[in-house]
Amino acid sequence: MSSPSATLSAAPPQRAAGRRANPWLTLIAVAFGLFMVGLDGSVVSIANPEIGRDLHATTADLQWVTNAYLLALAAALILGGKLGDRFGRRTVYQAGVAGFTLASVAIGLSGAIVPVIAFRALQGLFGALLMPNTLGLLRAVFPPRKFGMAVGIWAMVSSVSTALGPIVGGLLVEHVSWESVFYINAPIGVAALVVSALVLPQSRNDAARGEKFDIPGVLLLAAGALLVVLGVVKGETWGWSSAATLGTVGAGIVVLLLFGRHEMRVAAPLLPMRLFRNRALTIGTVITGLNFFVLLGSIFFVMLYLQNVRGFSPVEAGVRTLPLSLASVVASPLGAALTERFSARLTMPLGMLLQAAASFLMLTWSAGSGYGALWPPFIALGLGVGMVMSASSDTIVGNAPVADAGVAGGLQATSLQVGGALGTSVLVSLISGRVGATLGSALTAAGVPQDTARRLEGAKDAVSMGVAPVSGAMPGPLKEAVVAGSGQAFVGGLHTAALTTGVLCAAGALTAVLGLRDRGNRTGSSTTGPHGNGEHTRDRDPGTDHGHGHDRSRSPRS
């Protein structure tokens, strides 16, 4: 086991030659893989209804199309980063790209729901190899002073690909087929493989190659992550206070605590607990989860509102969220520049406050709001998410030793995925609960007879998804009244969800202000300092940065 002090005295890293020495080409190469995974994550929700109709899948089947991917991804992200640190980040990244691409094509060729679910799980596993090593590769090749801007562009690619998903998915499903949503990964994946083969340098932690691999840690982490994420994604279905939900999440937390205890005792840990001595890294991990709780949860209920309350098609709804995508394009590099100039103590709270403002602006929405009320929250949300993603990624990966860059990338991606899962599940549950409390009175106020309103209250789950439970046999005026009452009930639930995200964002901003230090106190070596306090130096010349430890960046000839 290498000690922190050992890494301080390590020799400077070897550098790749030629085009593989250009860090900006590395950024371009990893952007292809990152864009593919980000796009896939948000287009599938648009394709799910058509998958269900074509393959005669049940609602539970369609949930597993999403959950199988999410569970596999969450369970293996830190492992994927560790494999990159140990065996070569370029090698593991390319394996992830190739596997993700092949699994995507296999989904389109499946023809039945069971293989679709199985190949979605494979997508998640290969995505776990790909995602953390994008940041690991950047950390290994960019000098400290330029790493923040690289992360800003990385965050921009991630945000834009996620936000474009509904538009691309809507166009493909509407004009081609649901299979094309997965086939589109083939050309992107091939381009990613070609570019990465030409320009990516190899980098890894040579000191870890002779260490015994932490198999018990892999199993404990996978089991704990699986249980926690399963409890979260099924919480709305099982009930948040049910024995199944509490038992599953509780068991996952116990396993994760056992994992942490194991990691502190093993010589070569899968996830070195010393990383959490750095306060900025720890806060960045928490804020990353909160950031995607708000982003994915908000996108989920906003798309339901636009499509099922306002009546827009998937493409029309996606186009109306373009301000969010455009704002994130600006926000990520802007956030990186502000972080580099003033530190994350400014950028992270500012981004969280912008998200809080977006959430509170959504409290003004009604079932008939004009677009003038819709786009300002989209811009504020895009600006806030992009700025926070840049700052939090920099505080996590930028504050970790280069030797642990892949693991740090896996930690960041795990926090992101768990936060997104919590966001969609918790916010839909809040909307459903509010709908159940207000649906009857909303329907009565809309002119629905009381006996009909009572019968329709049993369909609160449908209304919480923004779908009015309208019977085709209803008279026209009654049908209009049901639609109006259901829309009002859903908007009430949306307000509850928006208020919740606004309060959480304000709390996140306060946490960042109080927990992060200013720039003068955040500089230190890129590994744990000699006093064991976990502070990291970020501003040394790359050629003499001994914080790289035993990490090596190699050309193919080395």
Side-chain angles (χ1 to χ4, degrees), residues 45-336:
S45 59
I46 299 295
N48 267 343
E50 190 62 30
I51 293 174
R53 283 189 288 269
D54 189 34
L55 302 183
H56 309 290
T58 65
T59 301
D61 291 333
L62 293 178
Q63 287 178 333
W64 279 109
V65 171
T66 298
N67 293 345
Y69 173 83
L70 183 62
L71 290 170
L73 186 67
L77 278 165
I78 291 177
L79 173 61
K82 186 69 172 182
L83 291 173
D85 289 341
R86 188 182 179 106
F87 299 111
R89 298 175 188 117
R90 181 184 68 192
T91 301
V92 176
Y93 168 80
Q94 289 176 321
V97 171
F100 195 95
T101 303
L102 291 174
S104 300
V105 174
I107 291 171
L109 297 174
S110 294
I113 192 63
V114 172
V116 166
I117 294 171
F119 286 120
R120 281 286 285 165
L122 276 178
Q123 263 193 327
L125 289 174
F126 285 113
L129 299 181
L130 187 163
M131 287 181 64
N133 286 294
T134 59
L135 280 171
L137 283 160
L138 297 182
R139 181 72 174 93
V141 299
F142 272 90
R145 286 189 178 89
K146 294 183 179 179
F147 179 69
M149 183 54 66
V151 167
I153 298 172
W154 177 93
M156 178 188 72
V157 174
S158 182
S159 299
V160 170
S161 61
T162 300
L164 284 178
I167 302 174
V168 175
L171 287 169
L172 291 174
V173 170
E174 192 171 315
H175 299 291
V176 188
S177 67
W178 69 262
E179 290 92 343
S180 64
V181 166
F182 298 100
Y183 290 150
I184 194 175
N185 289 333
I188 302 175
V190 170
L193 287 172
V194 171
V195 175
S196 64
L198 292 173
V199 305
L200 281 186
Q202 185 66 286
S203 66
R204 58 175 169 257
N205 178 10
D206 283 346
R209 299 192 71 188
E211 296 174 343
K212 184 179 179 181
F213 202 77
D214 184 17
I215 299 298
V218 171
L219 297 176
L220 285 170
L221 178 61
L226 279 170
L227 287 169
V228 169
V229 175
L230 178 63
V232 167
V233 299
K234 299 297 288 184
E236 200 274 330
T237 302
W238 291 344
W240 288 102
S241 60
S242 69
T245 300
L246 296 177
T248 303
V249 173
I253 292 173
V254 169
V255 174
L256 290 176
L257 290 174
L258 292 174
F259 166 75
R261 185 172 182 269
H262 167 79
E263 294 298 278
M264 288 188 289
R265 294 168 176 248
V266 71
L270 176 68
L271 176 62
M273 292 294 109
R274 59 181 164 75
L275 293 176
F276 295 103
R277 296 175 188 168
N278 185 283
R279 184 161 55 183
L281 183 147
T282 303
I283 290 176
T285 302
V286 173
I287 297 298
T288 293
L290 178 57
N291 195 38
F292 267 70
F293 179 101
V294 175
L295 174 63
L296 296 189
S298 297
I299 286 178
F300 189 82
F301 68 69
V302 164
M303 294 304 291
L304 290 174
Y305 168 79
L306 292 175
Q307 292 180 66
N308 297 328
V309 176
R310 301 302 307 279
F312 298 123
S313 70
V315 175
E316 291 171 335
V319 169
R320 281 164 174 78
T321 62
L322 269 177
L324 193 158
S325 305
L326 296 175
S328 66
V329 171
V330 175
S332 297
L334 174 62

Side-chain angles (χ1 to χ4, degrees), residues 464-539:
S464 70
M465 298 299 289
V467 181
V470 180
S471 168
M474 284 185 181
L478 178 58
K479 185 182 295 187
E480 292 175 6
V482 169
V483 171
S486 300
Q488 290 173 15
F490 178 83
V491 170
L494 183 151
H495 288 167
T496 300
L499 180 62
T500 300
T501 57
V503 171
L504 287 174
C505 288
L510 183 62
T511 300
V513 168
L514 297 178
L516 294 177
R517 299 180 180 182
D518 60 26
R519 190 170 186 84
N521 288 328
R522 90 190 260 269
T523 58
S525 79
S526 63
T527 187
T528 304
H531 304 293
N533 61 3
E535 295 304 318
H536 299 94
T537 301
R538 301 284 310 288
D539 294 318

Side-chain angles (χ1 to χ4, degrees), residues 19-45:
R19 62 176 176 272
R20 297 187 190 278
N22 189 324
W24 298 105
L25 291 178
T26 297
L27 177 58
I28 292 171
V30 301
F32 279 97
L34 182 65
F35 185 87
M36 179 174 65
V37 173
L39 189 69
D40 188 85
S42 55
V43 298
V44 174
S45 59

